[in-house]
Every structure is written in structure tokens, then in C-alpha cells.
Amino acid sequence: MSRLIEPRTLKGFRDYPPDLMIPRERVLQTAREVYRSYGFAPIDTPALEYAEVLLGKGGEESDRLVYRFKDHGDRDVALRFDLTVPFARFAAQTVPQLGTPFKRYAMGPVWRGENTAAGRYREFWQCDFDTIGTTANATDIEAVLVINDLFAALGFERYEIRVNNRLVLNGLLESLGVADKAVPLLRSLDKLAKIGRDKVIEEMVREAGVTADQAAGVLMLAGVSGSNTAVLDEVEARSGANEKTREGVRRLRELLAVAEIAGVPAERIKIDLSIARGLDYYTGTIYETFLLDLPTIGSVCSGGRYDNLASLYTKTVLPGVGASLGVDRLLAAMETLKHPWLTGQTTPAQVLVIQFDGSRLGDYQRAARSLRAAGIATEVYPDAAKKPKAQFEYADKRGFRFALIAGADEFAKSVWKIKDLAKREEVTVSTDELVSRVKTLMS
Amino acid sequence: MSRLIEPRTLKGFRDYPPDLMIPRERVLQTAREVYRSYGFAPIDTPALEYAEVLLGKGGEESDRLVYRFKDHGDRDVALRFDLTVPFARFAAQTVPQLGTPFKRYAMGPVWRGENTAAGRYREFWQCDFDTIGTTANATDIEAVLVINDLFAALGFERYEIRVNNRLVLNGLLESLGVADKAVPLLRSLDKLAKIGRDKVIEEMVREAGVTADQAAGVLMLAGVSGSNTAVLDEVEARSGANEKTREGVRRLRELLAVAEIAGVPAERIKIDLSIARGLDYYTGTIYETFLLDLPTIGSVCSGGRYDNLASLYTKTVLPGVGASLGVDRLLAAMETLKHPWLTGQTTPAQVLVIQFDGSRLGDYQRAARSLRAAGIATEVYPDAAKKPKAQFEYADKRGFRFALIAGADEFAKSVWKIKDLAKREEVTVSTDELVSRVKTLMS
């Protein structure tokens, strides 16, 4: 026999076994249903693209993390590192046919050769939605409704969508006379929760070349607290006549008003002037979503408004707004929080038909098919050579709820035994009643 | 302004815009539901693996098609070219914890740097199910039930699952004294439908080094025709006492008998002794699935039984059986056949709320949310600055079925107008009745 190859995955890559994959599919299916319910349409783009297309701007830190190589045709190619850049390329190519406004969602893995700290993977899933082709605040507001409905549908009760608007920040920077240093300043501001006030000021002075007073002025916003209305009132009072800040505040006020009428509980939305999102391209509303029982894991759904999605590829200006669900981070949080979707079950089926007598396989599959037709996932144990004891052990290990048993006696009487595997209780029912009785027992 | 980057995809790669992605999601979701209904559990494995792991055997033709490169850590890595090899690696690593039998499905893209003939992509989706850890014929039989239920659920009526067993072929090769040339012979036999009898014989003589008589003997099987039972009877009669052939025939007979009792219509299964599947690793039952209205597109779901999945990575013997749905080929077939799932719709939503009056956005979203809560996907047009005419044009272009309209008059009376966009009919209903009336109109 030849030497065995060691079965292993690359560092930063992982398998999803059933106990993790069953919840992941449920999360993705839930996101799909919520996005669709708002009219977002699915698209998909290739994992592999011309490096030129993906690294359009070039020279940035993120570029060094990209998996890039020469393909068979000596093309310079790369694996996508997010779903936004491919969407921008897609939009430039396809929007002339599709028209705007265009609402899309996309879900899939992305790849980054990052350092693999705890819970940080080199392959991880994103799950984005965006509306492009309009600057209307209605779309910014809708993003909050989507995120709210998404987390409710994911089975969470205690979460908070933190909202800000870059215009508020930019207006403040203007009045402080440091508008041209917005990028490094907001990048530093974004670290407030992580490194604290003093270090942020230090970094602003060092990286953006502002004075300590100017840096403290930028941090003023983060100090404003109170109810959403109080925060907005205070900012407006302090910023005086700055047009940008006023427009930012106006859009945030409309967001709160519409969300309230639309029925989003008030405690779900929190105006937070300290969130800036490090990324340069956001220009308006910004979103982060925190699980209140596990805020330290960071935002699990983030996004914002941008002025122009696809300027690298087309002269058509495509403003938009969107957000991204961090699927792997969310799954890690669900695990920590013992979310009820993480059952440890390794089968998606509820019912196992014990293969008691191999010559009756047709009858077992016929019964199983009638249950499947009624929407009850049902497995027939694969191997009649295994004793019933081994089959029951398998049922327990996988996490089936019910076992169905029938041998010569039961077939003679046209009955089935239904065993509740958790309660260790057994009932005998007629074949005609089988489906309805299993349904009743399941509910 | 800097030079624009041309927005383009790599040769052999493609985007899925909404009109193609909506049916693709439906196909995948259908497969997911059918696989789950039989107790197959989802798993996922990385797109990228050690080249050593994926190219275990090495030297084969397929290896040259693999996307392979050095990563940041100078590791020799490759993109998966199917879902079977990663599953084998996964099984070797994980089955000790999971135990057998183990039933899994997996769906995702795979990558092969092939020549890009019509409809042949370098990135395409596979959608596999397998049961490993048992040689029981019950699992071979179940695979036919799964394929049957899958195509019924995909909305097809005219399809045929062609079944053979390698044991029948191998027994025949034994009796012809050419068992040691099985691999090249079966690879040639597999081309029968494509290149015809004469060319197959020619190739067998050339590639396998058999005589023309021996080649004709191998082709005998393909000449056997008639009902499933007649075919099996004739093979058994001709092959006499060969043990392998008899065992193959026995397993096929049991398959037919169980499928019949389980309720699969007889015309769906056809014993076809000429299908061999080129791949070396099949050792028992073999499946191919043909759409009877488009047989020329080839098999859309194929698979078979193998003796040992993971011998490259573990000494644990893992026999199994499974099949793979060719998602992209199926979608191409659905397009050609004008399958009703390919509607041309570019929105997953049915209802568009016209944003007639921007100050009423909260009311529009409230109404939309009540429809969404009732399972009716509803978009609020994103931009109140657009005239209603433009909003209706958008509704037509995307393929919405209904538009909802309310302005000052309607809000004063607490009513909504529902417009059927295909029929160009409008009804006025009270706000309380809105959800139930839309539901009625949709059904």
C-alpha cells in the first residue's frame, strides 16, 4: 500500500460538519428570505477574476492579503476578497441592461490571507444586500428595516442597530478646519471602543497631523449621549449652521420617524455618533449591529451609503447603500450564546425508520415517502444487516426525534410502532394514521 | 479622471444576473429539500486545499486542469475541481467522530481550467449526495428514489433514470478473458452513444489491445434490449454461471422491486447495460439521468457505487454510493425547454408599493411589512422623486405582478388601490383587508 496522505485543511480554512452546517444553512436561508421579502434579487459573480479588476485601486493594505496567481493562460488572476468589488464590476457591466434602481443580494465565501487570530478565517462567508442607483433616504431607511427584520427572523430579541451619518462627522470636521484629514481621522475615531480616548487622540495627532485640541473636538461627538432625539438636538445645536451636519441630522431624524411608523421597536435603533466605519468609501448613513448579550464580538451586520459604487469601471455614477451580514462571526456568537438553532443535531431529519427486516425495504421506503410528501424528513436506516440496537444507537447519536418500527407482526396487522426517542415512549398506530400521528407527535 | 478598468469576467467564468440566479436558487433549494427529506446532512469544505490532498493520485489528465498556485506562506495549494475529493479528505478526518453510516450532501462551485466549448464553464456548480460506510444495496436503491423525487420536485415529468451495475460488465469481461483491461474498455464503451459502434470497437482494439471479436463481445451488452425484466433475464441467460454478473443482476432486480413498492412509476427507471461512466472508481450500481425532451444534453444527474472513498488518506475502508446534479447543465436544459421556472422575472417580489408621496414612506413600509409578515415579498419603490409613470415602468420591467397605490385621498379614506399589472385591472380595498385581498388575488 502506498503512503497515506495526511488529511488536513489549510491554516485559516475549515470544514463545516453537519452540526455547524445545519445552522449555517438556516442562517443563510433566513437572510435570503428576508432580503427577498424586500425585493432584493439574488446575483452571483465568479470567485476568480482578473487581478486588475479586483485590485482596481492598487497599493492598499488589503491588496497584500489577496490570493493572486497566474492561471493556465498566464492571466493575472485573484480570488475575491469581498462581494462589493465584484458587485461594482458587475454593476458597471450589467446595469445598462438591468436599469436602476437595482436591488441585489449576494452570499458566498471570500478569501483573505490574513493572520489567523481566534475566530478569524482566511475563507469566510459574506451575505450582502445593496440598493444602487438612487440617493433617496428611503433606501437608507429601508436598510435599517431589513437589518431589524433579519435579526428578528434569526431568533434574536436583544440587539441594537447603531446608526450614524458621515455627513454629521464631515460637517464637524469642516467646522474644526480639518475636513481634508477626514480619512485618517475617521479611521482613528473608529477605534474608540477598542483603544480608548487617549490613544485615539494620540493617533490622530500622529497620523493625521492635527492638534490635540482638534482631535478632542472630533471626539466631542462621541461624548454626546442621551436619547436618540436628545443626541440629534445637541449635535444640531453645537454644529450651528454647518450644512452637512444639518443634512446628516435631517436624514437621521427621518430614519427614526419612518422606522417608528413602520413598526420597528424604538429600542432597536440607537443613534451613535462615534461609529465611523474605517472604510473610506462610506459617505452617508452608517450601520453597525450589536448583540446586546455579546457586544464584545463586535458588529455582526455593518454597512452604509456610498456616493459611487463603480467609478473604477464606468462613468455612470451609481450611488447606493447596503450592508453585510458577517455569517461566521454570527455563528460564533450563536455558539457562545447557546442559540436554540445550534442543537448539536447532525441530521436534518426528524424520523428514522428502523430497517428491521431487509425484505421489507420497499414498505419502509413507501412509508418514508408518504412522510416526506407531508414535509417530514425521514431516513430509512441504510443497512438491514445491523441489529436494531445498533440502529437505535445511531438514531440517538444523530439526534433523530422518532423511530418507526415494523416487522412481520406489525405488517400482518397493518400497524406501525412510533417511538419517541427522548421520552422513550412508544405508541402503535394503524398504517393509515401513520402520517397524521407523526405530525401530531412532532408539534 | 484616471483611466477606467474594463469591467469583464475571465473566459469560462460568468455572472448570474437575477433572471438566471432566481431559478438557480430554486433548483438548489429544491435539491436541498429533497436531500434533507431523506436524511442527508449538509457539509461544506474549503474551496482551497493543499494541492497534495486534491491531487492525491497525481499524473492524471484531470490534474492538468486544476487551478494550482503558491499561497502567501509558499504552500502548494489548489482550488477544488469536484466535491468528491474534498469529501474523501473530510471523511478520513471526521468519520471517526461522526461514525457510519454517514449521509451527506454538499453544493458549491468547482473549478477546472478546461477548454470552454459551448455551455462548458471553468467555474460551475455541483450538488452531490452520498451515503458512506455501508455496502448495503438499500443505499444504492435509495439513490434512485432520491433522483426520482428530485426531478419530480424540479417540475419535470418526462425523465428517465438509467441504471446499470459494473458487476454485470465486469462479469462479462471476465468471461471474455479481458477483465484486466476493464478501465480502457469501459471508457470506450461509455462513448457508444456519442461515436457509434464501429468507432468504439476501433478504439477498444487500439487503446485496450483486445481483438475485434472481444470488443464486439463487450458491445453485446449494449445490444440487449426490451423491458427491464427482459434485459436482465437475457443477460443472466447469456452470462451463465459468472458470479459477478449474477450478483449485479440480483442487485438490479432488487432495485426495481423496491422502487415499485415504494411507488416510483415504472417508466422512470430503465436498465441500460451500455452506460459505464468513464470514471475508474465506480464498482457497482451506476446512474445517469436523461430529460426525455432533451436527451442530447447528456446526463443531468449521475453517480454510482464505489468500494472505498478515502483510501488515499486513511486505512478505514469507506464504501459508498452517491450522485451529483449538474446544476449548470440542468439550467441550460431548462432554458432550452422553456421550463416554467425561468420566468425572466428579475425580482423575487410579487408586489411593488408605489412611492406616491415621500412623506408617507412610514405608511408604505408599514403596509409592506404586514404583507411580508404574511409571506408576500413586497418592495417599496426606492425613490419618491420619480414620477408614478416611471415607477410603473420599473414594475413592468422587473416583472412585479401587483402594484399598491395610496395618496392623500386613499389615506383619508383608509383604503389602498391594488393594480394587477398583467391584467391592467385595479381594485380599491380597505386597509384592514389589504393583506387578505392581495393573497386572494395572487392565488
Side-chain angles (χ1 to χ4, degrees):
Chain A
M1 193 179 198
S2 58
R3 197 182 61 86
L4 293 178
I5 297 164
E6 187 195 347
R8 56 185 179 144
T9 51
L10 289 161
K11 199 180 156 194
F13 290 74
R14 64 167 169 172
D15 293 322
Y16 290 82
D19 59 334
L20 189 58
M21 191 63 186
I22 290 171
R24 191 182 94 179
E25 284 206 337
R26 194 161 172 190
V27 166
L28 293 176
Q29 181 60 15
T30 301
R32 194 177 282 125
E33 280 166 14
V34 171
Y35 294 168
R36 282 171 166 255
S37 80
Y38 279 82
F40 293 90
I43 71 159
D44 197 12
T45 61
L48 208 61
E49 302 238 14
Y50 282 104
E52 176 196 56
V53 164
L54 293 187
L55 305 176
K57 290 179 187 171
E60 300 193 10
E61 194 200 2
S62 63
D63 289 6
R64 268 176 281 133
L65 305 176
V66 171
Y67 286 91
R68 181 176 179 179
F69 60 97
K70 296 280 170 110
D71 78 356
H72 303 82
D74 208 37
R75 296 173 198 87
D76 184 10
V77 299
L79 286 165
R80 66 182 177 208
F81 56 91
D82 70 8
L83 300 177
T84 304
V85 175
F87 177 45
R89 192 267 308 145
F90 171 90
Q93 246 176 305
T94 313
V95 158
Q97 294 93 61
L98 288 172
T100 58
F102 177 60
K103 300 172 79 166
R104 84 88 171 81
Y105 69 88
M107 32 187 77
V110 302
W111 297 270
R112 293 182 196 170
E114 300 199 74
N115 287 334
T116 53
R120 210 160 184 181
Y121 296 100
R122 291 179 177 168
E123 175 181 72
F124 55 95
W125 273 64
Q126 291 192 335
C127 184
D128 292 14
F129 68 94
D130 286 83
T131 302
I132 58 169
T134 173
T135 57
N137 198 31
T139 51
D140 303 56
I141 297 167
E142 186 173 76
V144 168
L145 305 188
V146 173
I147 295 171
N148 176 65
D149 286 0
L150 174 59
F151 281 82
L154 288 168
F156 289 96
E157 282 171 12
R158 290 177 35 75
Y159 57 91
E160 188 175 83
I161 306 164
R162 300 194 187 152
V163 187
N164 192 6
N165 194 308
R166 276 275 177 105
L167 292 174
V168 174
L169 295 164
N170 292 339
L172 177 78
L173 299 184
E174 268 184 14
S175 38
L176 290 168
V178 293
D180 55 327
K181 287 152 185 166
V183 171
L185 286 173
L186 296 186
R187 203 175 279 151
S188 297
L189 179 60
D190 211 31
K191 297 178 186 166
L192 183 59
K194 227 189 260 172
I195 64 176
R197 182 184 163 83
D198 291 351
K199 289 226 165 112
V200 167
I201 292 184
E202 222 172 81
E203 190 182 291
M204 284 177 168
V205 171
R206 191 178 64 240
E207 300 288 330
V210 297
T211 67
D213 275 359
Q214 287 171 322
V218 177
L219 279 168
M220 173 274 281
L221 284 178
V224 178
S225 65
S227 72
N228 287 335
T229 316
V231 167
L232 292 177
D233 289 348
E234 187 172 342
V235 168
E236 205 156 35
R238 290 208 200 181
S239 68
N242 184 283
E243 263 312 307
K244 279 190 185 157
T245 297
R246 290 165 65 93
E247 171 64 7
V249 168
R250 190 194 66 74
R251 290 178 79 117
L252 288 171
R253 284 196 202 280
E254 194 189 10
L255 183 150
L256 294 171
V258 170
E260 188 184 346
I261 300 171
V264 177
E267 70 272 19
R268 294 278 172 76
I269 304 176
K270 185 178 160 63
I271 303 294
D272 181 345
L273 301 177
S274 74
I275 63 165
R277 310 264 340 122
L279 295 166
D280 308 351
Y281 55 81
Y282 290 123
T283 54
T285 318
I286 298 166
Y287 318 93
E288 296 193 342
T289 310
F290 287 83
L291 303 173
L292 296 179
D293 295 320
L294 196 65
T296 50
I297 204 165
S299 172
V300 285
C301 186
S302 315
R305 169 165 285 286
Y306 39 86
D307 272 346
N308 196 359
L309 178 71
S311 58
L312 288 173
Y313 319 106
T314 178
K315 289 180 178 172
T316 308
V317 177
L318 292 171
V321 63
S324 180
L325 176 69
V327 177
D328 291 275
R329 185 179 283 188
L330 181 73
L331 284 169
M334 291 168 90
E335 218 164 340
T336 306
L337 293 171
K338 302 195 190 312
H339 188 288
W341 289 7
L342 279 93
T343 58
Q345 247 194 316
T346 57
T347 175
Q350 305 288 320
V351 177
L352 180 72
V353 179
I354 301 296
Q355 207 181 324
F356 194 76
D357 174 355
S359 74
R360 290 296 193 156
L361 179 60
D363 298 296
Y364 296 138
Q365 282 288 6
R366 185 167 57 185
R369 288 185 86 225
S370 67
L371 286 159
R372 289 173 200 135
I376 301 164
T378 304
E379 175 171 336
V380 175
Y381 186 83
D383 189 353
K386 296 275 178 188
K387 298 219 167 90
K389 185 166 177 288
Q391 300 189 31
F392 279 110
E393 282 166 8
Y394 170 87
D396 284 335
K397 178 163 186 173
R398 289 277 183 268
F400 287 93
R401 286 185 58 198
F402 299 99
L404 300 188
I405 308 116
D409 288 358
E410 285 77 16
F411 284 116
K413 295 182 206 155
S414 194
V415 297
W416 283 85
K417 286 185 184 160
I418 307 174
K419 184 168 182 177
D420 184 317
L421 293 165
K423 296 186 187 158
R424 305 270 151 199
E425 288 170 4
E426 202 174 270
V427 289
T428 301
V429 304
S430 76
T431 301
D432 292 345
E433 293 179 312
L434 180 64
V435 173
S436 63
R437 287 297 291 273
V438 171
K439 262 194 170 165
T440 310
L441 286 169
M442 281 181 64
S443 60
Chain B
M1 191 179 200
S2 58
R3 196 182 60 87
L4 293 177
I5 296 163
E6 185 194 348
R8 57 186 178 141
T9 51
L10 289 161
K11 198 178 158 196
F13 289 75
R14 64 166 169 170
D15 291 323
Y16 289 82
D19 59 333
L20 189 57
M21 192 63 187
I22 290 172
R24 191 183 92 179
E25 285 206 337
R26 193 161 173 190
V27 166
L28 293 177
Q29 182 59 15
T30 302
R32 195 176 282 125
E33 282 166 13
V34 172
Y35 294 167
R36 281 170 167 256
S37 79
Y38 279 83
F40 293 91
I43 72 160
D44 198 12
T45 62
L48 207 61
E49 302 237 15
Y50 282 104
E52 176 196 56
V53 164
L54 293 186
L55 306 176
K57 289 178 188 172
E60 299 193 9
E61 194 200 2
S62 63
D63 289 4
R64 267 175 282 131
L65 305 175
V66 171
Y67 286 92
R68 180 177 180 178
F69 60 97
K70 295 280 170 110
D71 78 357
H72 303 82
D74 207 38
R75 297 174 199 87
D76 184 11
V77 300
L79 286 165
R80 67 183 177 207
F81 56 90
D82 70 7
L83 299 178
T84 304
V85 175
F87 177 45
R89 193 266 309 144
F90 171 89
Q93 246 176 302
T94 313
V95 158
Q97 294 93 61
L98 287 171
T100 58
F102 177 60
K103 301 173 79 167
R104 85 85 171 83
Y105 68 89
M107 31 187 78
V110 301
W111 297 272
R112 294 181 196 171
E114 300 199 76
N115 287 332
T116 53
R120 209 162 185 180
Y121 297 100
R122 291 179 177 168
E123 176 181 70
F124 55 95
W125 274 64
Q126 290 191 336
C127 185
D128 293 13
F129 67 94
D130 286 83
T131 302
I132 58 167
T134 173
T135 57
N137 198 32
T139 52
D140 303 55
I141 297 167
E142 186 173 77
V144 168
L145 305 188
V146 173
I147 296 171
N148 175 66
D149 285 0
L150 175 59
F151 280 82
L154 288 168
F156 289 97
E157 283 170 12
R158 291 179 31 74
Y159 57 91
E160 189 174 82
I161 306 163
R162 300 191 188 153
V163 186
N164 194 6
N165 194 309
R166 276 275 177 103
L167 293 173
V168 175
L169 296 163
N170 291 338
L172 178 77
L173 299 183
E174 267 184 14
S175 39
L176 290 168
V178 293
D180 56 326
K181 287 150 186 169
V183 171
L185 285 173
L186 296 187
R187 200 175 280 150
S188 298
L189 178 60
D190 210 32
K191 298 179 185 164
L192 183 61
K194 224 189 260 174
I195 65 176
R197 181 184 163 84
D198 291 351
K199 289 228 164 109
V200 167
I201 291 182
E202 223 173 80
E203 190 182 291
M204 285 176 169
V205 170
R206 191 178 64 240
E207 300 288 330
V210 299
T211 68
D213 276 0
Q214 286 170 323
V218 177
L219 279 168
M220 173 275 278
L221 284 178
V224 178
S225 63
S227 72
N228 286 335
T229 316
V231 166
L232 292 177
D233 288 348
E234 189 173 339
V235 169
E236 205 156 37
R238 288 208 201 181
S239 66
N242 184 284
E243 262 312 306
K244 279 191 184 155
T245 298
R246 287 163 67 93
E247 172 62 7
V249 168
R250 189 194 66 74
R251 289 178 80 116
L252 289 171
R253 283 196 203 281
E254 193 190 10
L255 184 151
L256 293 172
V258 170
E260 188 183 347
I261 299 172
V264 177
E267 70 271 20
R268 295 277 172 78
I269 304 175
K270 187 177 157 64
I271 303 295
D272 182 345
L273 301 177
S274 75
I275 63 165
R277 310 261 342 122
L279 296 167
D280 308 351
Y281 54 80
Y282 291 124
T283 53
T285 318
I286 297 166
Y287 318 92
E288 296 193 340
T289 311
F290 287 84
L291 303 173
L292 296 179
D293 295 320
L294 196 65
T296 50
I297 205 164
S299 173
V300 284
C301 187
S302 315
R305 169 166 285 286
Y306 39 86
D307 272 347
N308 196 359
L309 178 71
S311 58
L312 288 173
Y313 318 105
T314 178
K315 288 180 178 172
T316 308
V317 177
L318 292 170
V321 63
S324 180
L325 177 69
V327 177
D328 291 275
R329 185 180 282 188
L330 181 74
L331 284 169
M334 290 168 91
E335 215 164 344
T336 306
L337 293 172
K338 301 193 192 312
H339 188 287
W341 289 8
L342 278 94
T343 58
Q345 247 193 316
T346 57
T347 175
Q350 304 288 319
V351 176
L352 181 71
V353 179
I354 301 295
Q355 205 180 325
F356 193 76
D357 174 355
S359 74
R360 290 295 192 158
L361 180 60
D363 298 297
Y364 296 138
Q365 281 288 7
R366 185 168 56 185
R369 288 185 86 227
S370 66
L371 286 159
R372 288 172 200 135
I376 300 164
T378 304
E379 175 171 334
V380 175
Y381 186 84
D383 191 353
K386 296 276 178 187
K387 298 217 168 91
K389 185 167 177 286
Q391 299 189 31
F392 279 111
E393 282 165 7
Y394 170 87
D396 284 335
K397 179 164 185 174
R398 290 278 181 268
F400 287 92
R401 287 183 58 198
F402 299 98
L404 300 188
I405 308 115
D409 287 359
E410 285 76 18
F411 284 115
K413 294 182 207 155
S414 193
V415 297
W416 283 86
K417 286 184 185 161
I418 307 172
K419 185 166 181 178
D420 184 318
L421 293 164
K423 294 185 186 159
R424 305 271 151 197
E425 289 170 6
E426 201 174 271
V427 291
T428 301
V429 304
S430 78
T431 301
D432 292 345
E433 291 179 316
L434 180 63
V435 173
S436 63
R437 287 297 292 272
V438 172
K439 262 195 170 164
T440 311
L441 287 167
M442 282 181 65
S443 62

